């Protein structure tokens, strides 16, 4: 029997059920011809993992380090932009980083596959075989050795066991999921425009569960993109009247992790756009036709997006004795080293990093992963030199929310409030900072110029 992972690859259940026994018979794959090199294995090619691999490859090349990045996907998209892929404002195929090509240019090695376990005593990583969409094996199971292991597998949506959520709601954890939602959205508009019978209850309605940054930004993007789709000769239906977007939040307000002033300004703009906001009520069930709120209220919807809460991937709970918290994150100290193993580190959303003097772990934000990738490069340099790893210090540069073309709000260092064009430019600069870390200044500049040129000739949104 086989199961389908979020990356749409088929992984035999036997691989997941008994990793140690299965991988004990597989010889270790050499990471480099020079066995004297310090072996760094980075698991996860998200914002933190890819930036770290790039930094190490550029700094050390193959002179003192053998750097290997392992990810089950073949492309990277900056996760804070997945809501734009879902709405069609961003093309995954156009804006993605291809690991294979990027690795060859930046001095590290890329290995495709899903890590399913480790052996800390032997310092080995177990990588499951990769299969194509027809179930044929592409790459066999492998064992990779390491001297320093960095877990950077990010996070996934947490549906808190809500009945029906896993089957009837789409999360935006991967580019594949975002693209799948985009196709559903386009199909929904085409179906409504072409059908002979009247629209059914909930048709052209979208419910977004969770009012964090992803949820509210997606609501604004969908408001723009669904109307943009309707403007392309879909004139049999009054889309302006019939398209409905609802945000549901269990907490008392939207954007609970951001300043209240930002939340109020964002809520006012969303309400002005016609987005319905329901706070202080929990989703108790997701069905094929909508969501159930509390015991009696039912909200019909053709599209349901789950953006409420996160957790680290479940396999971290059984990662050869490494300590995790209640949402599967690896417990790390102030150097980002796991508390159980001096050779294993964690960065980004999958790390529970509680710095001295703080009452809570660092927030799961892109800026956290960016800073931790920079710090982890210093830690590895210290390990090569035989020095103690330096302590990590986090700096909060503020928060930003961009609501498509309608507005943007931000709170920067020192409580400085910004909005409008200034906030939007600062928001876009965060992505450019990530691209510069991944590609370098020259390529990022050229790509930005090319993007401005292409934008004038291609459709405003992806229509296929």
């Amino acid at each position: 029997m086989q199961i389908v992972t979020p990356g749409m690859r088929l992984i035999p259940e036997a691989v997941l059920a008994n990793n140690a026994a299965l991988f004990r018979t597989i010889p270790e794959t050499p990471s480099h011809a020079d066995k004297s090199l310090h072996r760094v294995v980075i698991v996860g090619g998200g914002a933190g993992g890819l930036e770290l691999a790039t930094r190490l490859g550029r700094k050390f090349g193959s002179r003192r380090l053998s750097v290997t990045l392992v990810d089950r996907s073949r492309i990277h998209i900056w996760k804070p932009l997945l809501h734009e892929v879902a709405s069609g404002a961003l093309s995954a195929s156009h804006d993605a980083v291809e690991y294979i090509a990027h690795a060859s240019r930046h001095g590290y090695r890329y290995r495709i596959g899903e890590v399913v376990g480790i052996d800390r005593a032997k310092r080995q990583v177990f990588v499951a075989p990769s299969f194509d969409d027809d179930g044929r094996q592409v790459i066999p199971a492998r064992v990779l050795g390491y001297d320093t292991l960095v877990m950077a597998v990010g996070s996934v949506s947490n549906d808190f066991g809500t009945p029906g959520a896993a089957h009837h709601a789409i999360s935006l954890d991967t580019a594949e999921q975002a693209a799948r939602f985009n196709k559903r959205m386009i199909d929904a508009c085409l179906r409504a425009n072409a059908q002979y019978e009247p629209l059914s209850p909930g048709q052209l309605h979208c419910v977004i569960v969770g009012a964090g940054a992803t949820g509210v930004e997606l609501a604004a993007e969908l408001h723009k993109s669904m109307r943009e789709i309707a403007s392309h000769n879909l004139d049999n239906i009054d889309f302006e009247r019939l398209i409905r977007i609802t945000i549901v939040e269990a907490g008392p307000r939207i954007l609970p992790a951001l300043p209240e002033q930002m939340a109020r300004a964002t809520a006012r703009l969303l309400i002005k756009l016609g987005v319905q906001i329901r706070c202080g009520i929990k989703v108790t069930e997701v069905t094929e036709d909508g969501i159930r709120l509390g015991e009696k209220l039912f909200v019909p919807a053709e599209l349901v997006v789950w953006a409420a809460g996160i957790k680290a991937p479940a396999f971290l709970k059984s990662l050869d004795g490494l300590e995790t918290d209640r949402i599967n994150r690896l417990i790390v100290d102030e150097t980002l080293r796991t508390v159980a193993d001096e050779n294993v580190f964690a960065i980004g959303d999958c790390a529970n990093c509680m710095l001295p003097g703080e009452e809570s772990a660092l927030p799961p934000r892109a800026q956290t992963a960016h800073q931790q990738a920079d710090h982890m490069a210093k830690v590895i340099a210290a390990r090569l030199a035989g020095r103690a790893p330096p302590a990590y210090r986090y700096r909060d540069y503020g928060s930003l929310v961009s609501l498509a073309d309608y507005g943007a709000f931000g709170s920067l260092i020192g409580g400085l409030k910004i909005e409008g064009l200034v906030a939007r430019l600062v928001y876009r600069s965060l992505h450019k900072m990530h691209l510069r870390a991944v590609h370098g200044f020259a390529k990022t500049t050229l790509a930005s110029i090319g993007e401005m040129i292409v934008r004038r000739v291609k459709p405003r949104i992806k229509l296929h």
Side-chain angles (χ1 to χ4, degrees), residues 247-266:
I247 298 177
V248 178
E249 169 59 42
R253 67 174 175 90
I254 67 170
L255 299 175
L258 303 185
E260 189 169 352
Q261 182 177 351
M262 279 182 63
R264 287 199 301 267
T266 302

PDB file of all heavy atoms in Angstrom, residues 247-266:
ATOM      1  N   ILE A 247     -13.984  35.448   6.244  1.00  0.00           N
ATOM      2  CA  ILE A 247     -12.867  35.051   7.106  1.00  0.00           C
ATOM      3  C   ILE A 247     -13.437  34.640   8.457  1.00  0.00           C
ATOM      4  O   ILE A 247     -14.250  35.364   9.048  1.00  0.00           O
ATOM      5  CB  ILE A 247     -11.867  36.208   7.304  1.00  0.00           C
ATOM      6  CG1 ILE A 247     -11.250  36.627   5.971  1.00  0.00           C
ATOM      7  CG2 ILE A 247     -10.779  35.804   8.283  1.00  0.00           C
ATOM      8  CD1 ILE A 247     -10.310  37.820   6.096  1.00  0.00           C
ATOM      9  N   VAL A 248     -13.016  33.470   8.950  1.00  0.00           N
ATOM     10  CA  VAL A 248     -13.463  32.976  10.250  1.00  0.00           C
ATOM     11  C   VAL A 248     -12.260  32.879  11.168  1.00  0.00           C
ATOM     12  O   VAL A 248     -11.238  32.277  10.815  1.00  0.00           O
ATOM     13  CB  VAL A 248     -14.140  31.599  10.126  1.00  0.00           C
ATOM     14  CG1 VAL A 248     -14.551  31.083  11.498  1.00  0.00           C
ATOM     15  CG2 VAL A 248     -15.349  31.687   9.203  1.00  0.00           C
ATOM     16  N   GLU A 249     -12.366  33.471  12.353  1.00  0.00           N
ATOM     17  CA  GLU A 249     -11.272  33.484  13.323  1.00  0.00           C
ATOM     18  C   GLU A 249     -11.807  33.097  14.698  1.00  0.00           C
ATOM     19  O   GLU A 249     -12.785  33.681  15.176  1.00  0.00           O
ATOM     20  CB  GLU A 249     -10.617  34.866  13.386  1.00  0.00           C
ATOM     21  CG  GLU A 249      -9.646  35.095  14.522  1.00  0.00           C
ATOM     22  CD  GLU A 249      -8.475  34.128  14.521  1.00  0.00           C
ATOM     23  OE1 GLU A 249      -7.928  33.843  13.433  1.00  0.00           O
ATOM     24  OE2 GLU A 249      -8.113  33.657  15.611  1.00  0.00           O
ATOM     25  N   ALA A 250     -11.162  32.110  15.330  1.00  0.00           N
ATOM     26  CA  ALA A 250     -11.610  31.668  16.652  1.00  0.00           C
ATOM     27  C   ALA A 250     -11.313  32.703  17.726  1.00  0.00           C
ATOM     28  O   ALA A 250     -12.028  32.779  18.733  1.00  0.00           O
ATOM     29  CB  ALA A 250     -10.939  30.337  17.001  1.00  0.00           C
ATOM     30  N   GLY A 251     -10.278  33.507  17.530  1.00  0.00           N
ATOM     31  CA  GLY A 251      -9.918  34.516  18.511  1.00  0.00           C
ATOM     32  C   GLY A 251     -10.809  35.748  18.422  1.00  0.00           C
ATOM     33  O   GLY A 251     -11.678  35.858  17.555  1.00  0.00           O
ATOM     34  N   PRO A 252     -10.566  36.730  19.299  1.00  0.00           N
ATOM     35  CA  PRO A 252     -11.434  37.916  19.352  1.00  0.00           C
ATOM     36  C   PRO A 252     -11.232  38.910  18.224  1.00  0.00           C
ATOM     37  O   PRO A 252     -12.075  39.780  18.014  1.00  0.00           O
ATOM     38  CB  PRO A 252     -11.081  38.542  20.707  1.00  0.00           C
ATOM     39  CG  PRO A 252      -9.672  38.082  20.974  1.00  0.00           C
ATOM     40  CD  PRO A 252      -9.575  36.714  20.385  1.00  0.00           C
ATOM     41  N   ARG A 253     -10.121  38.817  17.490  1.00  0.00           N
ATOM     42  CA  ARG A 253      -9.874  39.763  16.402  1.00  0.00           C
ATOM     43  C   ARG A 253      -8.982  39.139  15.344  1.00  0.00           C
ATOM     44  O   ARG A 253      -8.339  38.107  15.583  1.00  0.00           O
ATOM     45  CB  ARG A 253      -9.223  41.044  16.934  1.00  0.00           C
ATOM     46  CG  ARG A 253      -7.807  40.863  17.487  1.00  0.00           C
ATOM     47  CD  ARG A 253      -7.210  42.208  17.852  1.00  0.00           C
ATOM     48  NE  ARG A 253      -5.901  42.123  18.487  1.00  0.00           N
ATOM     49  CZ  ARG A 253      -4.733  42.136  17.826  1.00  0.00           C
ATOM     50  NH1 ARG A 253      -4.726  42.188  16.500  1.00  0.00           N
ATOM     51  NH2 ARG A 253      -3.586  42.080  18.480  1.00  0.00           N
ATOM     52  N   ILE A 254      -8.931  39.769  14.176  1.00  0.00           N
ATOM     53  CA  ILE A 254      -8.033  39.312  13.124  1.00  0.00           C
ATOM     54  C   ILE A 254      -6.608  39.728  13.463  1.00  0.00           C
ATOM     55  O   ILE A 254      -6.374  40.590  14.309  1.00  0.00           O
ATOM     56  CB  ILE A 254      -8.447  39.853  11.748  1.00  0.00           C
ATOM     57  CG1 ILE A 254      -8.254  41.372  11.678  1.00  0.00           C
ATOM     58  CG2 ILE A 254      -9.885  39.486  11.417  1.00  0.00           C
ATOM     59  CD1 ILE A 254      -8.410  41.946  10.277  1.00  0.00           C
ATOM     60  N   LEU A 255      -5.641  39.103  12.785  1.00  0.00           N
ATOM     61  CA  LEU A 255      -4.211  39.381  12.996  1.00  0.00           C
ATOM     62  C   LEU A 255      -3.849  39.385  14.484  1.00  0.00           C
ATOM     63  O   LEU A 255      -3.334  40.366  15.023  1.00  0.00           O
ATOM     64  CB  LEU A 255      -3.833  40.724  12.359  1.00  0.00           C
ATOM     65  CG  LEU A 255      -4.049  40.824  10.845  1.00  0.00           C
ATOM     66  CD1 LEU A 255      -3.756  42.242  10.359  1.00  0.00           C
ATOM     67  CD2 LEU A 255      -3.162  39.831  10.112  1.00  0.00           C
ATOM     68  N   PRO A 256      -4.128  38.280  15.194  1.00  0.00           N
ATOM     69  CA  PRO A 256      -3.886  38.262  16.648  1.00  0.00           C
ATOM     70  C   PRO A 256      -2.438  38.444  17.047  1.00  0.00           C
ATOM     71  O   PRO A 256      -2.162  38.884  18.172  1.00  0.00           O
ATOM     72  CB  PRO A 256      -4.409  36.881  17.061  1.00  0.00           C
ATOM     73  CG  PRO A 256      -4.368  36.063  15.812  1.00  0.00           C
ATOM     74  CD  PRO A 256      -4.655  37.005  14.696  1.00  0.00           C
ATOM     75  N   ALA A 257      -1.494  38.121  16.165  1.00  0.00           N
ATOM     76  CA  ALA A 257      -0.076  38.232  16.520  1.00  0.00           C
ATOM     77  C   ALA A 257       0.505  39.612  16.222  1.00  0.00           C
ATOM     78  O   ALA A 257       1.654  39.882  16.556  1.00  0.00           O
ATOM     79  CB  ALA A 257       0.731  37.169  15.774  1.00  0.00           C
ATOM     80  N   LEU A 258      -0.285  40.490  15.595  1.00  0.00           N
ATOM     81  CA  LEU A 258       0.207  41.797  15.192  1.00  0.00           C
ATOM     82  C   LEU A 258      -0.436  42.894  16.034  1.00  0.00           C
ATOM     83  O   LEU A 258      -1.446  42.662  16.712  1.00  0.00           O
ATOM     84  CB  LEU A 258      -0.078  42.031  13.705  1.00  0.00           C
ATOM     85  CG  LEU A 258       0.511  40.980  12.750  1.00  0.00           C
ATOM     86  CD1 LEU A 258       0.262  41.395  11.311  1.00  0.00           C
ATOM     87  CD2 LEU A 258       1.990  40.777  13.001  1.00  0.00           C
ATOM     88  N   PRO A 259       0.125  44.101  16.023  1.00  0.00           N
ATOM     89  CA  PRO A 259      -0.442  45.195  16.826  1.00  0.00           C
ATOM     90  C   PRO A 259      -1.916  45.425  16.529  1.00  0.00           C
ATOM     91  O   PRO A 259      -2.363  45.317  15.387  1.00  0.00           O
ATOM     92  CB  PRO A 259       0.414  46.402  16.418  1.00  0.00           C
ATOM     93  CG  PRO A 259       1.714  45.806  15.986  1.00  0.00           C
ATOM     94  CD  PRO A 259       1.367  44.505  15.329  1.00  0.00           C
ATOM     95  N   GLU A 260      -2.673  45.791  17.579  1.00  0.00           N
ATOM     96  CA  GLU A 260      -4.124  45.946  17.438  1.00  0.00           C
ATOM     97  C   GLU A 260      -4.485  47.061  16.463  1.00  0.00           C
ATOM     98  O   GLU A 260      -5.489  46.972  15.753  1.00  0.00           O
ATOM     99  CB  GLU A 260      -4.746  46.217  18.807  1.00  0.00           C
ATOM    100  CG  GLU A 260      -6.262  46.172  18.792  1.00  0.00           C
ATOM    101  CD  GLU A 260      -6.850  46.186  20.193  1.00  0.00           C
ATOM    102  OE1 GLU A 260      -6.081  46.072  21.159  1.00  0.00           O
ATOM    103  OE2 GLU A 260      -8.084  46.317  20.303  1.00  0.00           O
ATOM    104  N   GLN A 261      -3.663  48.102  16.415  1.00  0.00           N
ATOM    105  CA  GLN A 261      -3.952  49.196  15.491  1.00  0.00           C
ATOM    106  C   GLN A 261      -3.895  48.718  14.040  1.00  0.00           C
ATOM    107  O   GLN A 261      -4.732  49.097  13.214  1.00  0.00           O
ATOM    108  CB  GLN A 261      -2.960  50.338  15.705  1.00  0.00           C
ATOM    109  CG  GLN A 261      -3.216  51.548  14.820  1.00  0.00           C
ATOM    110  CD  GLN A 261      -2.247  52.680  15.109  1.00  0.00           C
ATOM    111  OE1 GLN A 261      -1.487  52.634  16.074  1.00  0.00           O
ATOM    112  NE2 GLN A 261      -2.247  53.699  14.274  1.00  0.00           N
ATOM    113  N   MET A 262      -2.914  47.862  13.717  1.00  0.00           N
ATOM    114  CA  MET A 262      -2.831  47.289  12.375  1.00  0.00           C
ATOM    115  C   MET A 262      -4.048  46.425  12.082  1.00  0.00           C
ATOM    116  O   MET A 262      -4.594  46.452  10.978  1.00  0.00           O
ATOM    117  CB  MET A 262      -1.557  46.455  12.225  1.00  0.00           C
ATOM    118  CG  MET A 262      -0.297  47.248  11.947  1.00  0.00           C
ATOM    119  SD  MET A 262       1.123  46.144  11.737  1.00  0.00           S
ATOM    120  CE  MET A 262       0.629  45.215  10.292  1.00  0.00           C
ATOM    121  N   ALA A 263      -4.467  45.652  13.088  1.00  0.00           N
ATOM    122  CA  ALA A 263      -5.622  44.771  12.902  1.00  0.00           C
ATOM    123  C   ALA A 263      -6.884  45.581  12.620  1.00  0.00           C
ATOM    124  O   ALA A 263      -7.684  45.213  11.744  1.00  0.00           O
ATOM    125  CB  ALA A 263      -5.809  43.898  14.140  1.00  0.00           C
ATOM    126  N   ARG A 264      -7.078  46.669  13.345  1.00  0.00           N
ATOM    127  CA  ARG A 264      -8.282  47.486  13.134  1.00  0.00           C
ATOM    128  C   ARG A 264      -8.283  48.113  11.744  1.00  0.00           C
ATOM    129  O   ARG A 264      -9.307  48.125  11.052  1.00  0.00           O
ATOM    130  CB  ARG A 264      -8.371  48.579  14.205  1.00  0.00           C
ATOM    131  CG  ARG A 264      -8.767  48.066  15.586  1.00  0.00           C
ATOM    132  CD  ARG A 264      -9.269  49.203  16.445  1.00  0.00           C
ATOM    133  NE  ARG A 264      -8.245  50.241  16.602  1.00  0.00           N
ATOM    134  CZ  ARG A 264      -7.382  50.305  17.607  1.00  0.00           C
ATOM    135  NH1 ARG A 264      -7.406  49.381  18.551  1.00  0.00           N
ATOM    136  NH2 ARG A 264      -6.503  51.282  17.685  1.00  0.00           N
ATOM    137  N   ALA A 265      -7.133  48.642  11.320  1.00  0.00           N
ATOM    138  CA  ALA A 265      -7.047  49.267   9.996  1.00  0.00           C
ATOM    139  C   ALA A 265      -7.282  48.233   8.894  1.00  0.00           C
ATOM    140  O   ALA A 265      -7.967  48.507   7.903  1.00  0.00           O
ATOM    141  CB  ALA A 265      -5.690  49.932   9.824  1.00  0.00           C
ATOM    142  N   THR A 266      -6.723  47.039   9.080  1.00  0.00           N
ATOM    143  CA  THR A 266      -6.913  45.972   8.097  1.00  0.00           C
ATOM    144  C   THR A 266      -8.370  45.540   8.030  1.00  0.00           C
ATOM    145  O   THR A 266      -8.929  45.342   6.942  1.00  0.00           O
ATOM    146  CB  THR A 266      -6.022  44.765   8.451  1.00  0.00           C
ATOM    147  OG1 THR A 266      -4.652  45.172   8.483  1.00  0.00           O
ATOM    148  CG2 THR A 266      -6.183  43.653   7.430  1.00  0.00           C
TER     149      THR A 266
END
